[in-house]
Amino acid sequence: MTASAPPPSSPPLDGVTVVALEHAVAVPIASRQLADLGARVIKIERLDGGDFARGYDDVVAGELSSVFLWTGRGKESLAVDLKNPAGIALVRELLAGADIFIQNMSPGAVERLGLGPDELTEENPRLIVVSNTGYGEPGPYAGKRAYDALVQAESGTVAVTGTKDIMVKPGFSAADVASGMYMAQAALMGLYQRERTGVGTVVDVAMIDAMTDFIANHIYYAQHNGIPAERISLGHPSLVPYGEYATRDTPVVVGIQNDREWARFAEHVLGRPELAEEPEYATNVARTRRRDEVDALISQTLRRFTAAELTALLDDIGIACARVNDLKSVSEHPQLVERDRWAQTSTPVGPVPTLRQVITERRKQYPVGAVPALGQHTRQLLAELGRDGAAIDELVRRGVVRDSTTRVPGQ
């Protein structure tokens, strides 16, 4: 049974205008958060294909990128030539009336375009500028090109991810998403601060800062222990037992957080209540020192259960657990279905289900915006800036802007 949806409400960021000069994932995921909360997000895109993420794959109806489906929702697309002074002038007009400018151009690029934060905030003192870089400034890495996997490597994230023998990166764009979450938070901080001061602010979020904050406990562990945290697949460097265990069918992840839980687990699952008293096993510190031995004991026992039997037992005695699901199973997950987490979203290839925004406000549900075609809103936005149809046609003819019907050679 699907939960009944609450009536649509005015979103919290209704009336906030964001201009996003963005590509790939980091800033697009940040601006999508703002769009999901009701902000008007105007996405500035290149004439020749737009955001790189539009071309990452074509798995949605053979045309639309799964990445752009994820990051492009709820935005308006303005396709404009930023190498043309007339194009830059249009963007500056938009920014003169905007609340937030968020960008992840290459280091120094916005300054070269005449869109640096000092110039923009002088023209619009209420503007909040949020910029994303790989490594921040100053420092020997300032200006160094940075992509998600590179920052994951440089930050040490991959050093604590994987198995003992194989180092891997997380299976998603962790550095992009981490910095995107901080950028969305920074934008909201800027809005709140402006309510009190009347002026905007300039904020920078570096991907390496986001990732080192995400794994700070591992860094502290290495600093104070003198050795790096061990890579242990789905395990935990400081907790035992904690990790994936095979059953008769689907693997299950078991997480023991404290010695009280261990005592219940030892009695009701292992059938060995004495393990909660023996010094070699009674405490987490002791168990961590005997990780392989404890894991072997547990593995031998859990193989007798099916996943359903084991998770039912663990839930009954208050032990945290989870099945290791494939992504198809996740798309049909009963918890997501029951809570109405999927919404039909308008896209250039027709309605497509997407996951609703993560923040859920009690008794409210905000509308889910569409994924735009490249240049879909160009004419509308230029009209809002005071251009009539003939002037817009001339800008299209000169290649200053592109609308969704413009044909580009080679495409």
Side-chain angles (χ1 to χ4, degrees), residues 56-134:
Y56 279 176
D57 61 62
D58 61 359
V59 300
V60 183
E63 295 182 43
L64 180 63
S65 159
S66 61
V67 176
F68 197 75
L69 178 65
W70 174 39
T71 62
R73 183 177 69 196
K75 303 178 185 181
E76 299 174 25
S77 173
L78 170 64
V80 59
D81 182 5
L82 294 180
K83 296 179 181 179
N84 189 314
I88 292 294
L90 292 173
V91 174
R92 291 183 78 105
E93 281 188 64
L94 285 173
L95 288 166
D99 298 288
I100 298 168
F101 176 47
I102 188 166
Q103 65 89 19
N104 64 337
M105 299 290 283
S106 299
V110 289
E111 286 78 8
R112 292 191 295 273
L113 291 171
L115 300 173
D118 292 339
E119 297 169 83
L120 296 179
T121 53
E122 183 175 349
E123 293 179 3
N124 179 1
R126 290 176 57 80
L127 186 65
I128 297 155
V129 180
V130 182
S131 298
N132 176 231
T133 61

